[in-house]
Amino acid sequence: REARPPALVERGTRKEREAFVANAVQQVPEDGRGILGGDLGTLIEGPLRAHIAFRLREWLPDLVSLGIGFQDALGRAEGLVLMETSSPFSNAAVRYARKAGVRVTVLQHGVIAEAFSYRLLNADRVAAWGELDAEWFRRELAPHVRVEATGSPRHDRLAGAGTGGAPSPDLPRDRPVVLFASQPFVQGAPVRSPWERAAILAMVLDAARRAEGCRIVVKWHPSETAERLPSPEDDALARSLHRANTLDLLRIATAVLAVSSTVGLEAMYLGRPVVFLGPPDLEGSFHPPEDGGGLRARTADELVVHLAGLVRDAGMRSRVLEGQRAYLGRAYAPLDGHASERVTALLRRG
């Protein structure tokens, strides 16, 4: 028999919940009429509205159970820590926390500060990666929100990881590896960003055909579907990886290519020169080359020149790494392995 997860509520309360859900589901008509008010009710019609109604009926039991779980757990909690507050479940957790008088802290985790989810932040405190992101949070959020540049606990794993002892991904090592960190969209503003995914990939593959003395590895983002490279020639010059560990790849990389992926930031922390691809999004805050960190390549020709210099010219490589270190010192918390301790201290200060 499969082990069943523990019930969130006692049997009597569970029966009441089931009765509530059954009644609520009956109130959601199959065609979805009446469930969307205001302008949405006139804009969303037909199959889409019916699909929303289906999802409501499907999710109601889980939402009710989570609500009971939130109410029970947060009644005993001193604080709530989340990565964001815009998703339905985290938004529900925040609502229950407010009801219980529990302080909400958001820990900046896997994306830059200006990502859409952070524009909707509902928190009392924010633990930011560094001063660059902290300034954005202070500017965009309500004055009462306390923001501290603690650094990210997820980056603590990078401390001391830049040299030696790395597992070796299954890659030919006959030439230096250049890692391209793909991404499904630019995190800060997918609509207004000048970045276009297919054009960037074409630039990378064009450079792979012409850049001598290196092999480009395309590491797809976990939320992307791994693509086959367009031709056998491309496969000989570049490798496409989806499940490989990004940290392992960074350890063996001679250089790293990125658009606005935070893999570029991690590469700089590990002392790998980074080339950022495409025109900068100057309306955002994350454009390291324009602030002294890394290089910028807008075309395949520029990328080929940069790669040749980083692979063959020790002086150029040294200058790029020096600029990246200075940029990190101005914009981000130090990579000292103590970000988790700084976040813990923030939580304990109440």
Side-chain angles (χ1 to χ4, degrees), residues 62-78:
D62 288 339
L63 289 172
V64 173
S65 291
L66 283 169
I68 295 170
F70 287 148
Q71 184 169 317
D72 181 55
L74 290 172
R76 301 190 300 270
E78 295 183 7

Side-chain angles (χ1 to χ4, degrees), residues 3-9 14:
R4 295 176 63 84
L8 285 172
V9 293
R14 178 180 285 279

Side-chain angles (χ1 to χ4, degrees), residues 89-274:
F89 289 160
S90 61
N91 193 279
V94 170
R95 288 174 180 268
Y96 278 99
R98 298 293 186 218
K99 184 178 179 181
V102 172
R103 192 186 301 271
V104 178
T105 302
V106 165
L107 174 62
Q108 186 184 357
H109 184 60
V111 294
I112 56 179
E114 63 199 45
F116 176 74
S117 60
Y118 288 140
R119 295 180 183 274
L120 304 176
L121 208 61
N122 181 3
D124 302 296
R125 298 176 299 190
V126 177
W129 284 350
E131 280 303 323
L132 181 70
D133 294 280
E135 289 175 8
W136 184 91
F137 282 119
R138 293 179 187 123
R139 183 173 64 251
E140 298 293 329
L141 302 181
H144 74 271
V145 180
R146 178 177 169 185
V147 181
E148 290 193 17
T150 60
S152 174
R154 77 191 298 264
H155 293 153
D156 284 349
R157 67 193 174 101
L158 301 178
T163 58
S168 179
D170 184 19
L171 291 170
R173 302 295 292 276
D174 56 329
R175 62 185 73 179
V177 170
V178 175
L179 174 64
F180 168 49
S182 182
Q183 61 191 89
F185 57 87
V186 169
Q187 294 160 339
V191 175
R192 65 170 167 77
S193 173
W195 175 71
E196 201 276 312
R197 182 175 179 275
I200 293 294
L201 182 58
M203 179 199 304
V204 170
L205 294 178
D206 187 10
R209 298 183 191 104
R210 294 192 282 145
E212 298 180 1
C214 63
R215 172 173 283 105
I216 292 180
V217 173
V218 180
K219 171 62 174 69
W220 304 103
H221 189 276
S223 65
E224 289 181 297
T225 300
E227 300 178 19
R228 293 183 62 87
L229 298 180
S231 71
E233 178 190 24
D234 292 328
D235 190 58
L237 299 168
R239 288 297 177 97
S240 173
L241 298 175
H242 193 228
R243 301 298 180 189
N245 184 281
T246 302
L247 179 55
D248 293 344
L249 292 172
L250 286 173
R251 283 165 162 159
I252 66 170
T254 298
V256 174
L257 313 178
V259 181
S260 70
S261 171
T262 54
V263 172
L265 175 60
E266 293 174 353
M268 287 194 281
Y269 267 136
L270 292 178
R272 304 301 189 266
V274 182

Side-chain angles (χ1 to χ4, degrees), residues 30-33 44-51:
E30 292 189 4
D31 65 359
R33 292 185 180 278
I44 301 178
E45 298 182 354
L48 179 56
R49 188 166 57 191
H51 176 74

